[in-house]
Amino acid sequence: MAQLWKGRFKKELAKETNDFNSSIRFDCRMFEEDIKGSIAHATMLGACGIIDKTESDKIISGLENILNDIKNGSLEIDMQAEDIHTFIEGELTERLGQTGKRLHTARSRNDQVALDIRLTLRKEIEEIKEKVKALISVICTKAEENKSTIMPGYTHLQRAQPITFAHHIMAYTAMLCRDLGRLDDAEKRMNICPLGSGALAGTTYPLNREMTAEQLGFDGITLNSLDGVSDRDFCIELAAALSLIMVHLSRFSEEIIMWCSWEFKFVELDDAFSTGSSIMPQKKNPDIAELVRGKSGRVFGDLTALLTVMKGIALAYNKDMQEDKEAIFDAVDTVKMCLTAFTPMIDTMTVLKDNMRNAAAKGFINATDCADYLVGKGLPFRDAYKATGELVALCIDKELTLETLPLEEYRNICGLFDENIYDAINLDTCVAGRTVVGGPSHESVEKQIEAAKQFIS
C-alpha cells in the first residue's frame, strides 16, 4: 500500500525505515474511531458544499461497509500499511476510485490522529469507570458483612487502635471514588474536537467544525490549530489518573499479601484466585495481588514515558508524538486487566474474623480509650496519657493486658479508676464509641457505605 505522502519522493522507502516508521501494529485498534471520524468529516464536507453531496454519500456508505467488513472478519487489516488511517483511506479508494480520494479534503493526518486517540480514550475511560465501580460495589458488600469484625488499626505497621474490617476496607472506596472523579475530569478536558486544525494552520476551506464536533459527541472544538494537533495533555492526564488507580490497587494488594501470611492470617483467598509452588506443596500464594502490585510500576513507567516524550517538543506536530499511543494504550490495558482480576479476588476472599479479633486483643490498642476514660473523670489529657503509659509498662512487666490487669494496680497509678474501666476499654465499646463521621462505629460505616453506593449509582 503506497504512502499518502509519496509524491515528493523519488526513491522507494527502505524496508528498515518503513518498519521503524510504521504504527499500524498499535494504532490498528482505533479502526472504528478512525472510520467514525471520517464519516463525520465526509458528512460535513458534503453539507458545506466542499465536495459534492452525492460523493460524500458514497464515501459514507463505503466507510460503513469497511467498518462492517472489519468487524465481521471479511476484511483483514493489512499490517504492512503505514498506519490505520492509510489503510482505511487506501481501502476506500480501492473500492470507490477517485471519489475515495476526496475524503482527505481539508484534513491532515495530524488532526485525524488527534481526533482518533481522543475518541478511543473517551471510550476506554467509560469502560475503566465501570470496572472501578464494580470494585467499589464489591468492597461495600464486604464491608456490610464485616461491620462488627474487630481488627487492629495500624500506624507505622504497629497496632494502634481498634477498628473494624469494614472501616478499614472502606478507606479504599474513598480512594476509588476520587479515582472516578479524576477520570471524569480527564474525560471532560479530553472531549474537545481537534478536527479542522489541519496539519497545524487550519485550512482555507469553509469548514463547519462545530458540526463535526456535534456529530462525534464532543463538547466543543479546539480554539488554536497548533495546540489542536500537538496537545497530548489529555493522554498524560489520563495516565496520571490511571497511575493513582494503580497506587491504590497496589496498597490494597500489599495488605492482602500481608493478611494472607501465617504471621497475620486475617484473610484467605479463594483457590480460584491463588497459586501454588512447584517445590513446596504447602504454599498458597497471593499471585494476583503480587502481580497487581508489580504492574503498578509499568503504568507509572507509561506516565513517565509520556511526560518525557512531550517535554521537549516544539510546536506543532513531531513524529515523537507517535510514541503516545503505545504508552497510553498500555496503561489503559494494564489497569483494565488488573481491575478485572482484582475485583473477583476480593469478592471471593474469606475474612478470618476470629484471627482479627485475637490480634486486636493484643498490643494495647485500647490504651487511648483508657486515657480518654481518665479525661472523662476530669484529668488533663497529658496526665491521663502519662498514667496510661505507666499502666502499659506495668502490664508488659507482668505479662498482662489492660483487660486482665487488677483494678488495684490501676488505682495504684491513678485513684480516678473504678470498676467501669473494664467496660470503657472493651474493644466493642471502643469501636462503638467512635461515632464521629468517618469513624469505625456501625453508624459511621453504614453512612460511608451508603455514600459510596450513591456515588457510583
Side-chain angles (χ1 to χ4, degrees):
M1 184 174 289
Q3 288 82 21
L4 298 177
W5 42 265
K6 194 174 180 181
R8 158 71 173 78
F9 293 78
K10 295 179 180 179
K11 297 178 74 173
E12 289 294 322
L13 192 67
K15 181 180 184 303
E16 294 83 357
T17 302
N18 185 64
D19 291 344
F20 188 62
N21 192 57
S22 173
S23 61
I24 189 75
R25 67 188 183 279
F26 50 83
D27 66 21
C28 62
R29 68 190 282 167
M30 302 193 299
F31 73 89
E32 185 169 1
E33 287 71 30
D34 190 78
I35 291 172
K36 286 180 177 179
S38 292
I39 289 172
H41 182 65
T43 301
M44 182 273 297
L45 292 177
C48 293
I50 297 170
I51 65 174
D52 189 81
K53 182 68 165 56
T54 59
E55 289 198 300
S56 72
D57 289 343
K58 288 179 182 178
I59 290 171
I60 292 165
S61 177
L63 288 168
E64 289 172 344
N65 290 335
I66 290 172
L67 179 59
N68 290 332
D69 289 348
I70 294 175
K71 285 186 171 182
N72 66 31
S74 60
L75 174 61
E76 187 173 334
I77 294 174
D78 179 8
M79 299 310 288
Q80 299 305 309
E82 183 177 357
D83 52 43
I84 191 62
H85 328 293
T86 304
F87 169 74
I88 290 171
E89 186 174 337
E91 180 66 24
L92 182 70
T93 300
E94 188 172 320
R95 296 185 181 195
L96 300 184
Q98 291 296 114
T99 297
K101 294 180 180 180
R102 300 192 188 281
L103 171 62
H104 209 55
T105 305
R107 185 176 70 171
S108 164
R109 274 192 303 179
N110 291 358
D111 60 350
Q112 186 178 0
V113 71
L115 171 73
D116 290 0
I117 194 169
R118 286 173 188 262
L119 290 173
T120 301
L121 294 180
R122 190 175 69 181
K123 178 182 69 177
E124 296 287 6
I125 286 174
E126 289 304 313
E127 187 174 343
I128 291 169
K129 286 196 295 188
E130 289 307 308
K131 290 181 179 294
V132 172
K133 289 177 182 179
L135 177 55
I136 291 172
S137 179
V138 163
I139 294 173
C140 286
T141 298
K142 279 289 180 203
E144 287 174 331
E145 296 168 357
N146 288 279
K147 287 183 289 187
S148 299
T149 303
I150 302 290
M151 70 174 289
Y154 294 84
T155 61
H156 309 279
L157 208 53
Q158 303 293 312
R159 293 172 188 168
Q161 291 182 303
I163 59 171
T164 63
F165 186 64
H167 183 228
H168 189 112
I169 61 175
M170 285 305 296
Y172 288 103
T173 67
M175 300 178 204
L176 293 167
C177 286
R178 292 196 296 272
D179 290 328
L180 287 174
R182 275 183 282 268
L183 290 172
D184 284 339
D185 289 343
E187 186 176 16
K188 180 179 180 181
R189 276 182 283 277
M190 181 186 298
N191 204 35
I192 304 295
C193 185
L195 203 59
S197 298
L200 78 160
T203 177
T204 58
Y205 292 98
L207 304 183
N208 186 339
R209 294 187 62 200
E210 289 80 3
M211 176 184 176
T212 310
E214 185 177 351
Q215 287 183 78
L216 294 169
F218 285 103
D219 295 328
I221 60 172
T222 55
L223 297 179
N224 181 283
S225 59
L226 289 165
D227 182 59
V229 297
S230 65
D231 169 38
R232 293 299 184 271
D233 288 1
F234 59 92
C235 292
I236 295 170
E237 185 174 7
L238 177 56
L242 297 177
S243 293
L244 277 168
I245 291 174
M246 291 305 296
V247 167
H248 300 148
L249 292 183
S250 184
R251 293 183 72 181
F252 204 168
S253 294
E254 174 68 10
E255 298 209 289
I256 296 295
I257 292 162
M258 289 192 300
W259 291 341
C260 284
S261 70
W262 283 101
E263 285 69 27
F264 280 81
K265 213 59 180 171
F266 285 178
V267 301
E268 183 172 353
L269 298 180
D270 190 89
D271 287 355
F273 296 93
S274 306
T275 62
S277 165
S278 64
I279 190 173
M280 296 167 284
Q282 83 282 9
K283 294 292 291 300
K284 186 175 182 181
N285 300 325
D287 280 9
I288 288 177
E290 290 174 357
L291 279 170
V292 169
R293 186 177 59 181
K295 287 181 183 294
S296 62
R298 180 170 178 158
V299 178
F300 303 162
D302 292 328
L303 171 59
T304 301
L306 287 165
L307 289 165
T308 305
V309 164
M310 295 304 298
K311 73 175 181 63
I313 297 180
L315 292 174
Y317 181 84
N318 295 266
K319 193 67 170 182
D320 317 43
M321 292 167 64
Q322 183 169 288
E323 292 294 302
D324 61 351
K325 287 172 282 300
E326 284 186 280
I328 191 59
F329 291 163
D330 181 70
V332 163
D333 292 345
T334 300
V335 169
K336 285 164 59 177
M337 179 170 54
C338 288
L339 287 166
T340 299
F342 194 86
T343 299
M345 180 190 72
I346 298 299
D347 190 31
T348 57
M349 178 178 69
T350 299
V351 179
L352 304 178
K353 300 181 181 183
D354 290 342
N355 290 351
M356 288 185 177
R357 177 78 187 217
N358 291 337
K362 303 171 184 175
F364 305 102
I365 64 174
N366 49 3
T368 301
D369 299 272
C370 181
D372 288 341
Y373 169 88
L374 291 176
V375 170
K377 295 282 189 175
L379 198 65
F381 179 77
R382 281 300 165 204
D383 291 337
Y385 176 95
K386 180 176 181 295
T388 303
E390 292 173 2
L391 285 169
V392 170
L394 180 64
C395 287
I396 292 171
D397 288 342
K398 294 181 175 291
E399 297 184 352
L400 296 172
T401 65
L402 289 173
E403 294 92 332
T404 59
L405 186 69
L407 180 60
E408 180 183 349
E409 301 286 6
Y410 274 99
R411 296 185 65 83
N412 286 339
I413 289 177
C414 181
L416 293 175
F417 284 111
D418 56 38
E419 288 186 359
N420 59 11
I421 179 57
Y422 298 107
D423 291 328
I425 61 173
N426 177 274
L427 293 178
D428 293 299
T429 303
C430 294
V431 170
R434 287 177 161 79
T435 56
V436 65
V437 175
S441 69
H442 269 232
E443 296 82 355
S444 178
V445 170
E446 284 170 356
K447 290 177 181 177
Q448 293 169 47
I449 294 171
E450 183 58 31
K453 286 182 174 181
Q454 287 184 1
F455 191 85
I456 64 176
S457 62

